[in-house]
Amino acid sequence: MALTIVKEKTIIILLPLVYNFKMVKLSIMPCNHRFMNIHANGLFPNWEINKLFIGTFNPIWNKPNGNNADYFYGRSKYFWKIIPRYFNEQSLKNSTVAEKIAFCKKNKIGFTDLICNIEDADFMNQQHKNWIFSYKDTDLLNFHNLQYNTNSILDYLNENNQISAYFTRLGNGVGNISAQIQHIEANYHNTFRLHTPTGQGLGKGTPRANKLTCKWHQQGLAGINPNDFPWE
């Protein structure tokens, strides 16, 4: 309803403002890669390497009260404990990111992942968070818009064709994720598959790190005699 005010001979009409409030759906927030451009080179090291370890994905989303990686394979109990032994150095399991990167530069090691980001991930969707925070490759297949790093990996390897490429998963059967691995294997000459650094599937018994190292030795990651290191 309008309100009319008469002041001297000027008539002022005040009209009510009507706001049309609408529910606005929050846009989907993609889950990008946690370490994209950490080295100012996309998902690749910016130093010379001869070993490239290829994982699946490191989500930028933080798992509440969870084991969130500070660097590649940072959630693994064994990776940063074992790898330095190949170069006669001590465990870097509890080291800083800077120390890990310095070690990698010194020993010509690099990392990348098969997936750059998940475009249709929605942080407001609890089921999406469940899938991502399970850290299972099979759960990532529930998304329909995975942005793969495959072509860039092949370009990187073929430009530096003395690199040994190590996938940190053994089997197939994980849909398009497995297909990316097979495509790289078919188009690059020097690839290997390693048992997952989590140690999952090793079976019961100890020493666990020694058992995992023995597996890696058999799978093509040579350089040390695993039996020289009876770790836990």
Side-chain angles (χ1 to χ4, degrees):
M1 180 177 177
L3 173 65
T4 301
I5 300 175
V6 179
K7 185 175 182 181
E8 295 180 350
K9 291 187 178 181
T10 302
I11 298 176
I12 302 173
I13 300 177
L14 302 179
L15 296 174
L17 294 176
V18 178
Y19 293 93
N20 183 17
F21 290 99
K22 295 181 180 179
M23 293 297 293
V24 179
K25 185 180 185 301
L26 290 173
S27 61
I28 290 176
M29 186 180 80
C31 185
N32 295 319
H33 196 286
R34 192 175 191 86
F35 306 122
M36 179 63 74
N37 286 320
I38 190 173
H39 304 306
N41 193 29
L43 269 183
F44 297 95
N46 60 356
W47 58 86
E48 181 183 355
I49 69 169
N50 54 35
K51 290 181 175 64
L52 181 68
F53 292 89
I54 305 173
T56 304
F57 184 58
N58 277 281
I60 196 170
W61 297 354
N62 279 330
K63 184 177 183 179
N65 303 315
N67 182 14
N68 297 297
D70 61 346
Y71 193 56
F72 290 91
Y73 300 100
R75 292 184 298 104
S76 167
K77 183 178 179 180
Y78 300 108
F79 187 90
W80 288 104
K81 182 177 183 179
I82 294 174
I83 287 297
R85 296 287 191 169
Y86 281 80
F87 302 93
N88 296 313
E89 298 192 28
Q90 296 301 309
S91 169
L92 292 172
K93 179 70 178 81
N94 298 313
S95 64
T96 65
V97 173
E99 289 170 331
K100 289 171 182 169
I101 291 174
F103 166 82
C104 291
K105 289 181 176 180
K106 176 183 175 182
N107 295 293
K108 298 183 178 181
I109 292 173
F111 306 98
T112 193
D113 279 329
L114 291 168
I115 297 172
C116 297
N117 57 64
I118 304 174
E119 288 291 334
D120 57 334
D122 183 353
F123 189 75
M124 305 303 293
N125 186 320
Q126 184 59 48
Q127 182 61 72
H128 287 194
K129 288 193 280 191
N130 291 344
W131 289 333
I132 285 174
F133 293 148
S134 77
Y135 303 115
K136 294 178 180 177
D137 291 358
T138 49
D139 280 349
L140 297 181
L141 295 178
N142 288 302
F143 296 99
H144 303 293
N145 197 354
L146 303 177
Q147 299 298 303
Y148 288 102
N149 194 31
T150 308
N151 290 335
S152 295
I153 291 173
L154 277 172
D155 289 344
Y156 182 85
L157 290 173
N158 285 313
E159 288 172 6
N160 308 272
N161 63 9
Q162 299 303 308
I163 295 173
S164 297
Y166 299 92
F167 295 101
T168 52
R169 66 164 295 112
L170 279 178
N172 292 311
V174 191
N176 205 24
I177 292 174
S178 294
Q180 306 305 310
I181 295 175
Q182 292 166 349
H183 181 67
I184 295 170
E185 289 173 329
N187 290 279
Y188 187 69
H189 65 283
N190 196 20
T191 62
F192 305 87
R193 294 206 194 189
L194 302 180
H195 197 99
T196 173
T198 66
Q200 184 177 0
L202 279 177
K204 297 179 179 180
T206 56
R208 305 287 289 172
N210 176 267
K211 192 170 183 178
L212 183 58
T213 308
C214 288
K215 288 277 190 183
W216 286 358
H217 187 77
Q218 295 164 4
Q219 291 157 358
L221 186 60
I224 61 173
N225 180 354
N227 295 317
D228 290 342
F229 302 97
W231 310 313
E232 63 185 45

